[in-house]
Amino acid sequence: MSEPSPSEFRELVRGFFEQIPFNRQIGLEMHELDLEQLTISACFELRPELIGNIWKNILHGGVIATALDTVGGLTALVAAYRHLGDIDWQEKIQRLSKIGTVDMRVDYLKPGRGESFTCHGSILRTGNKLVVSRMELHNDGGELIATGTATYLY
Amino acid sequence: MSEPSPSEFRELVRGFFEQIPFNRQIGLEMHELDLEQLTISACFELRPELIGNIWKNILHGGVIATALDTVGGLTALVAAYRHLGDIDWQEKIQRLSKIGTVDMRVDYLKPGRGESFTCHGSILRTGNKLVVSRMELHNDGGELIATGTATYLY
Amino acid sequence: MSEPSPSEFRELVRGFFEQIPFNRQIGLEMHELDLEQLTISACFELRPELIGNIWKNILHGGVIATALDTVGGLTALVAAYRHLGDIDWQEKIQRLSKIGTVDMRVDYLKPGRGESFTCHGSILRTGNKLVVSRMELHNDGGELIATGTATYLY
Amino acid sequence: MSEPSPSEFRELVRGFFEQIPFNRQIGLEMHELDLEQLTISACFELRPELIGNIWKNILHGGVIATALDTVGGLTALVAAYRHLGDIDWQEKIQRLSKIGTVDMRVDYLKPGRGESFTCHGSILRTGNKLVVSRMELHNDGGELIATGTATYLY
């Protein structure tokens, strides 16, 4: 297989994203992928099994961490893809398939209340081995629920 | 209801733990609670829906973050309970019900491979408002998969 | 002493900032304080004693952490001051004098090269007990050298 | 120059440590280096210029971050040296000279009070590109003042 076109690449990323089993547990779906700005957004709906506190009906912190890590990692994947430039497609795929989270900080700013949530990822730095992503989670009322910063190795 | 005995308290914590919906998604079960050392451990089994990378068959980073945050938070809850000392039980319950994660760092040290996983929480510091917990996740082969540090407000 | 005017308050903060002994070691000087946007910036020059790597002539990571923590803490102080609103000035001073850093993450994005550096702080969240600040350090060429996120208790 | 003996290596590390200008500002001195356990400790004395809060006479958070980052980085350097094994000494030096901090979390557990302080570093993981170190700072009364976790790239 040869280098995909931008729209093919976007669909590849979406396919990669949506086949991850634990993302399906959360119901996380990729919404936008901007190959120029290197930003990604993904959404999910509140569902009973995502609750961490049944009295307050708020998201489990682990759901938030999952959304942030997933979106941050996918943003890092796209940034690494761009950074690798014109190397052979097979070699690119090889490098990118090894991407993994090194560490992540999550700040829980407000209780995770809402009917639906949007997670947005952007890039702080892309290097030859590491990418640093920054992530934000908003609820459907536009409130900033959580932010994260994570380092990915590829 | 009045102040529970240590064994009643242990069962209360277990009950609190196990009714959290998202913990059930992970299959996380409380294993040990040491009221003297202020340590907690919890376990879960690998299941197909917890996978983050289907080629490598490893845990999603969000599953790891969920386990660490849950165990760290529960350890913080117990430490806060002890720290509050002899105040009225109803007031204690009131204070403790407000506990929440402020922020967390996760270090992903090795790929999350294994059949079952144990997460262990201990206390770095208990203050009048904040508790800092440290967490570790090992697989059934005894490998250290991830560590975390989190701050909880109560 | 009674509640200061905005310009008096700005000078109080500057005075507080500049009498901190270790800030003088770094040569850190407050540059701007925006009481509406709740942002602060501070600057320092490269000096031989701030070097961490003499072959590469770059800042010590500890200098960067110091600048980020100081500016983040001062931004948090101003946010807490605003959040406390119309309570008695003496009580405000009492509360604010107890402010301290709970935890901080620093991401070192590029080597700390440059003749002078500007550190900028803004607020992610202000609560009744905690403030979360975000910080950035740029060099005189406009490069983003480091970012940080820190939690402060007051 | 060829591969040094363990005692020569220890002196090389000490020399490297002590020529770092900003470490001299802090007065940080290497105390122990255990090449088997991969642990390092370093000490410094309270001095007026290290103060962050003149009313409480406590260390500036930046001093603590500096000590933690320095000791963590040196521990990572030694771990990377061991991990590189029997490759050519010049190549080793080349690789090790590029080591840098990727990110760090510091938890400030207690006010930095004391006459002298000891910082201890150990290793959480050594990989082919990254090392994760954990650090602790105690005062002369044996109190745990701060902990840190940092990722280093080499």
Side-chain angles (χ1 to χ4, degrees):
Chain A
M1 185 186 155
S2 63
E3 187 84 15
S5 71
S7 70
E8 286 168 345
F9 181 69
R10 189 176 284 107
E11 287 316 303
L12 272 177
V13 172
R14 183 189 305 276
F16 176 74
F17 188 92
E18 292 182 356
Q19 56 71 19
I20 296 175
F22 197 61
N23 288 354
R24 288 203 296 253
Q25 291 292 106
I26 307 285
L28 199 60
E29 292 186 4
M30 203 177 94
H31 184 58
E32 281 185 356
L33 163 55
D34 185 325
L35 286 170
E36 292 309 311
Q37 299 295 318
L38 294 177
T39 58
I40 285 184
S41 62
C43 305
F44 63 100
E45 308 282 318
L46 184 69
R47 297 192 306 201
E49 62 265 34
L50 304 184
I51 295 298
N53 184 322
I54 52 173
W55 299 285
K56 300 186 177 174
N57 210 37
I58 55 178
L59 289 179
H60 194 292
V63 174
I64 293 171
T66 299
L68 294 174
D69 182 24
T70 303
V71 169
L74 216 60
T75 313
L77 181 87
V78 175
Y81 170 80
R82 288 283 297 272
H83 189 80
L84 288 173
D86 286 335
I87 67 167
D88 175 67
W89 170 248
Q90 289 302 328
E91 196 187 327
K92 250 188 203 175
I93 289 292
Q94 185 98 15
R95 280 290 304 276
L96 296 177
S97 71
K98 283 187 284 187
I99 198 165
T101 317
V102 174
D103 56 53
M104 177 168 65
R105 175 184 172 108
V106 180
D107 287 271
Y108 296 94
L109 303 173
K110 292 204 171 175
R113 263 189 213 98
E115 289 305 309
S116 65
F117 301 89
T118 303
C119 189
H120 185 82
S122 59
I123 296 296
L124 279 175
R125 178 181 180 270
T126 309
N128 293 321
K129 296 167 185 166
L130 297 173
V131 183
V132 183
S133 300
R134 176 163 284 173
M135 299 80 73
E136 297 188 343
L137 184 81
H138 288 86
N139 66 11
D140 48 341
E143 288 182 304
L144 182 59
I145 301 298
T147 59
T149 311
T151 302
Y152 299 89
L153 178 69
Y154 69 99
Chain B
M1 185 186 153
S2 63
E3 185 87 13
S5 70
S7 69
E8 286 168 346
F9 181 70
R10 190 176 282 109
E11 288 314 304
L12 272 177
V13 172
R14 185 190 303 277
F16 175 75
F17 188 94
E18 292 182 355
Q19 56 71 19
I20 296 176
F22 197 62
N23 288 355
R24 288 204 296 252
Q25 292 292 103
I26 307 284
L28 201 58
E29 292 185 4
M30 202 177 92
H31 183 58
E32 282 185 356
L33 163 54
D34 184 326
L35 286 169
E36 292 308 312
Q37 299 295 319
L38 295 176
T39 58
I40 285 184
S41 61
C43 305
F44 62 101
E45 308 281 320
L46 184 70
R47 296 191 308 200
E49 63 266 33
L50 305 183
I51 294 298
N53 184 321
I54 51 173
W55 300 286
K56 299 185 176 176
N57 210 38
I58 55 178
L59 289 178
H60 194 293
V63 173
I64 293 171
T66 299
L68 294 175
D69 183 24
T70 303
V71 168
L74 216 60
T75 313
L77 181 86
V78 175
Y81 170 79
R82 286 284 298 272
H83 190 81
L84 289 173
D86 286 336
I87 68 168
D88 176 65
W89 170 248
Q90 290 301 330
E91 196 188 327
K92 250 189 203 176
I93 288 292
Q94 185 98 16
R95 280 290 305 275
L96 295 178
S97 72
K98 284 187 283 188
I99 198 166
T101 316
V102 174
D103 57 52
M104 176 168 65
R105 175 184 172 108
V106 180
D107 286 273
Y108 296 94
L109 303 174
K110 290 203 172 177
R113 262 190 214 98
E115 289 305 309
S116 65
F117 301 89
T118 303
C119 188
H120 186 82
S122 59
I123 296 297
L124 279 175
R125 178 179 181 271
T126 308
N128 293 322
K129 297 167 184 165
L130 296 173
V131 183
V132 183
S133 300
R134 176 163 286 172
M135 300 80 73
E136 295 187 345
L137 183 81
H138 287 87
N139 67 9
D140 47 342
E143 288 182 305
L144 182 60
I145 301 297
T147 60
T149 309
T151 301
Y152 299 89
L153 178 70
Y154 71 98
Chain C
M1 185 187 155
S2 61
E3 187 84 15
S5 71
S7 71
E8 286 168 346
F9 180 70
R10 189 176 283 106
E11 288 315 303
L12 272 176
V13 173
R14 186 191 301 277
F16 175 75
F17 188 93
E18 292 182 354
Q19 56 72 19
I20 296 175
F22 196 62
N23 288 353
R24 288 204 295 254
Q25 291 292 106
I26 307 284
L28 200 59
E29 291 185 4
M30 203 178 92
H31 184 57
E32 281 185 355
L33 164 54
D34 184 325
L35 284 170
E36 292 309 313
Q37 299 295 318
L38 295 176
T39 58
I40 286 185
S41 62
C43 305
F44 62 100
E45 308 280 319
L46 184 69
R47 297 190 307 199
E49 62 267 32
L50 304 184
I51 294 297
N53 184 322
I54 52 173
W55 298 286
K56 299 185 176 175
N57 210 39
I58 56 179
L59 288 179
H60 194 293
V63 173
I64 292 171
T66 299
L68 294 175
D69 183 26
T70 302
V71 168
L74 217 60
T75 313
L77 181 86
V78 175
Y81 170 79
R82 287 283 297 272
H83 189 80
L84 289 172
D86 285 337
I87 68 167
D88 176 66
W89 170 248
Q90 290 302 328
E91 197 187 327
K92 248 189 206 176
I93 288 292
Q94 186 97 14
R95 280 288 306 273
L96 295 178
S97 72
K98 283 188 283 187
I99 199 167
T101 316
V102 174
D103 56 53
M104 176 168 65
R105 176 184 170 109
V106 180
D107 287 272
Y108 296 95
L109 303 174
K110 290 203 173 177
R113 265 190 212 97
E115 289 305 309
S116 66
F117 301 89
T118 303
C119 189
H120 186 81
S122 58
I123 296 297
L124 279 175
R125 178 183 180 267
T126 308
N128 293 321
K129 296 166 185 168
L130 296 174
V131 183
V132 183
S133 301
R134 177 162 283 174
M135 300 80 73
E136 296 187 344
L137 183 81
H138 287 87
N139 66 10
D140 48 342
E143 287 181 306
L144 181 59
I145 301 298
T147 59
T149 310
T151 302
Y152 299 88
L153 178 70
Y154 70 99
Chain D
M1 185 187 154
S2 61
E3 186 85 14
S5 70
S7 70
E8 285 168 346
F9 180 69
R10 190 176 282 106
E11 287 315 303
L12 273 177
V13 172
R14 184 189 304 277
F16 175 75
F17 188 94
E18 293 182 354
Q19 57 71 19
I20 296 175
F22 196 61
N23 288 354
R24 288 202 296 253
Q25 292 292 105
I26 307 284
L28 200 59
E29 291 185 5
M30 200 177 95
H31 184 57
E32 281 185 357
L33 163 54
D34 185 324
L35 285 170
E36 292 308 313
Q37 299 295 317
L38 295 176
T39 58
I40 286 184
S41 62
C43 305
F44 63 100
E45 309 281 319
L46 185 70
R47 296 190 308 200
E49 63 266 33
L50 304 184
I51 294 298
N53 184 322
I54 53 173
W55 299 287
K56 300 186 176 175
N57 210 40
I58 56 178
L59 289 179
H60 194 293
V63 173
I64 293 171
T66 300
L68 293 175
D69 182 25
T70 303
V71 168
L74 216 60
T75 312
L77 181 85
V78 175
Y81 170 79
R82 285 284 297 273
H83 189 80
L84 289 173
D86 286 336
I87 67 167
D88 176 66
W89 169 249
Q90 290 301 329
E91 197 188 327
K92 250 189 204 176
I93 288 293
Q94 185 97 13
R95 281 289 306 274
L96 296 178
S97 71
K98 284 187 283 187
I99 199 166
T101 315
V102 173
D103 56 55
M104 176 168 66
R105 175 183 171 108
V106 180
D107 287 272
Y108 296 94
L109 304 173
K110 291 202 171 179
R113 266 191 210 96
E115 289 304 308
S116 66
F117 301 90
T118 304
C119 189
H120 186 82
S122 58
I123 295 297
L124 278 175
R125 178 181 181 268
T126 309
N128 293 322
K129 296 167 183 166
L130 296 173
V131 183
V132 183
S133 301
R134 177 163 282 173
M135 300 80 73
E136 297 187 342
L137 183 81
H138 287 87
N139 66 9
D140 47 342
E143 288 181 306
L144 182 59
I145 300 299
T147 59
T149 309
T151 301
Y152 300 89
L153 177 70
Y154 70 98

